[in-house]
Amino acid sequence: QNVSLDYTNAQIGKIEDLIAPLKAAGEVSNVFSITGFGGTTNRGFITISLVEQNQRARSQLAIAADISKAIAQVPGVRAFAVQPNSLGIRGGGNGLQFALVGTSYARLAKASDIAVAAMSADPRYGQVRSSYDTTQAEVTVQIDRSRADQLGVDVTGLGVTLQAMLDGKPLGNVDLNDVTYPVYLQSTSQPINDPTDLQNIFVRAGDGRFVPMASLVTLAEGSSSPSLNREQQQRAVDMSAALTDGFPIGDAYTAARALLLPQLPAGVSIIPLAEAATIGQNSNGLATTFGFAGLVILLVLAAQFESFISAGIIMITVPFGLACGVYALLLTGGSLNVYSEIGLVLLVGIMAKNGILVVEFANQLRDQGFSVRESIEQSSMVRLRPILMTKLATILGALPLVYASGPGAEARSALGWVVVGALGFAAISTMFLTPAVYLLFAPLSKPRAHEQVELDREMLHAAAREAELSGT
């Protein structure tokens, strides 16, 4: 804190020198740096543009890892590599981010020290850092109220005088030629730049005498954090940490909670931030999304078949398809992320469509007088080819996602593996599961032809009754 802009600029130059070999190797196309922003002189950032993926041998993650190792060599600087995410999540790209929240910054400062020490000892976390850094110099003004009361000095007026001497007191605005200028009351002859300057400022006491302000006010030099954060209307200290390759943010946040909660002081809790919070919200909303999707499909199928039993038979196969999608992710080393969750939602409709082909034809055969077993056997054999053709067409259509390359290939691959893997695994299970479930539950409902027979019988009975009444 409080370093000059020249000092920060010199450190930025050292980091640029460490990045220069990457540009010489043809991996970096452009380097752009800014020193000092947000009203501070001790901060800066460097934007590094990489060449196209097909023009370099290493991935963005590998290059970022080398940069992180290089900038760690610069003394007196805390620097870290940030990789912005493609989802535009606020604060994304900084690895794992969470906040320690509580009622006291002193307690949170102690908790942040514990968190930094515990996570730094875990090799899966790197560059663990806290936003609470008490290195900002400050001067605290303390007024001796009892002394001011004895001398008859108005404390309110004393505060106005101090404000005018230290930073200036705003009085109002003046409009000149459609331009508004603020007006401040401040001292230009004897401003307070040092605690000893209080000896040169006098205030009027109750008896009319002038007394030095130094007899009423003391200035204490100290340090504090340059910013005090809040999250969810609570005092908070933000924490962040880089993650090793293959350690997802969701797993990292769960592991951090399990590691820190037993060690944190009472009254301190943990809440996720940035990507960790987004993943948590998506995970919590995933069950709701699947629930609404399943309910809508169930109601549509019930209206189409005029039977909740037939709709339920089709919906039973959907969870097995989702399970196959998860197994495909596990076998391919993928994770349950935003992109793979989109693929799972897509599977709900695809799995239901395949069940419709079998159940609809089986119901038509039952209307023609076939038994439940005969109907489902004939339907399974007849509908086998269109089901396989549909699955094969969908799988072939998703293969380009699996073998995608270039920027964003990882996101497309996650979506592709869910579709390809789920349909591939579910092709066997659902072809046996749907007939078995139909054979078990279809006898609970009567075919639609039975309703027509009942209607014809009632119409004949009504006609006979009318003829009987006419004869009498």
Side-chain angles (χ1 to χ4, degrees), residues 1-304:
Q1 298 292 338
N2 302 320
V3 299
S4 65
L5 193 63
D6 292 337
Y7 176 85
T8 305
N9 194 42
Q11 308 310 310
I12 292 289
K14 294 179 181 179
I15 296 178
E16 289 179 342
D17 293 339
L18 295 174
I19 299 173
L22 298 177
K23 189 173 183 179
E27 294 180 327
V28 174
S29 61
N30 187 40
V31 178
F32 174 77
S33 63
I34 290 182
T35 305
F37 63 92
T40 62
T41 60
N42 67 330
R43 300 173 63 188
F45 70 87
I46 301 175
T47 300
I48 303 173
S49 301
L50 303 181
V51 299
E52 295 295 334
Q53 191 173 23
N54 57 2
Q55 299 178 11
R56 48 186 164 87
R58 296 193 302 169
S59 66
Q60 177 179 312
L61 289 174
I63 296 175
D66 279 358
I67 292 176
S68 297
K69 293 179 182 179
I71 59 182
Q73 303 172 10
V74 182
V77 172
R78 184 175 63 184
F80 46 89
V82 176
Q83 303 178 70
N85 59 78
S86 58
L87 296 176
I89 300 174
R90 179 184 177 187
N94 288 294
L96 173 63
Q97 297 182 73
F98 61 90
L100 304 176
V101 297
T103 58
S104 169
Y105 282 111
R107 184 177 300 174
L108 292 175
K110 179 181 178 181
S112 66
D113 293 338
I114 295 175
V116 170
M119 296 179 66
S120 298
D122 192 326
R124 297 175 297 179
Y125 301 102
Q127 296 181 318
V128 183
R129 51 196 182 274
S130 167
S131 66
Y132 192 79
D133 184 13
T134 56
T135 56
Q136 174 70 50
E138 71 172 8
V139 177
T140 304
V141 180
Q142 299 175 344
I143 301 175
D144 189 344
R145 293 179 176 271
S146 61
R147 179 63 175 165
D149 183 63
Q150 292 175 0
L151 296 175
V153 177
D154 184 8
V155 176
T156 303
L158 186 61
V160 173
T161 302
L162 280 173
Q163 183 179 5
M165 293 296 180
L166 287 171
D167 191 40
K169 176 179 174 55
L171 298 180
N173 298 319
V174 174
D175 295 330
L176 295 175
N177 299 326
D178 295 332
V179 178
T180 301
Y181 298 93
V183 179
Y184 286 86
L185 173 64
Q186 56 185 187
S187 173
T188 58
S189 58
Q190 292 181 332
I192 299 177
N193 297 321
D194 187 85
T196 58
D197 291 339
L198 293 175
Q199 299 287 347
N200 302 323
I201 300 176
F202 295 85
V203 293
R204 186 184 298 274
D207 56 2
R209 295 180 302 167
F210 286 92
V211 296
M213 190 176 291
S215 62
L216 303 173
V217 176
T218 57
L219 300 182
E221 297 183 359
S223 62
S224 65
S225 178
S227 62
L228 299 176
N229 299 332
R230 284 181 176 269
E231 297 291 343
Q232 298 181 5
Q233 300 182 351
Q234 301 180 75
R235 292 179 173 88
V237 172
D238 295 348
M239 305 290 300
S240 60
L243 303 178
T244 57
D245 192 13
F247 193 27
I249 291 181
D251 296 343
Y253 176 68
T254 302
R257 285 182 58 89
L259 175 65
L260 299 180
L261 285 178
Q263 305 181 46
L264 295 179
V268 177
S269 57
I270 301 175
I271 60 174
L273 301 176
E275 292 169 319
T278 302
I279 291 174
Q281 293 169 359
N282 288 342
S283 299
N284 294 334
L286 185 61
T288 304
T289 301
F290 281 144
F292 276 109
L295 179 61
V296 170
I297 294 177
L298 178 64
L299 295 177
V300 172
L301 292 176
Q304 176 183 349

Side-chain angles (χ1 to χ4, degrees), residues 350-423:
I350 296 177
M351 297 302 299
K353 178 183 65 64
N354 293 331
I356 292 174
L357 294 175
V358 177
V359 174
E360 173 66 20
F361 191 59
N363 287 344
Q364 293 177 6
L365 293 177
R366 288 189 66 192
D367 293 340
Q368 298 174 13
F370 288 88
S371 65
V372 173
R373 177 176 290 275
E374 292 174 340
S375 299
I376 193 60
E377 288 178 352
Q378 291 292 328
S379 178
S380 299
M381 290 187 293
V382 173
R383 293 301 193 188
L384 176 61
R385 185 174 65 176
I387 289 177
L388 291 180
M389 291 177 63
T390 302
K391 286 180 181 266
L392 183 60
T394 306
I395 291 174
L396 293 177
L399 281 179
L401 297 176
V402 174
Y403 295 104
S405 60
E410 295 82 1
R412 296 193 293 272
S413 179
L415 176 59
W417 273 120
V418 171
V419 177
V420 173
L423 292 181

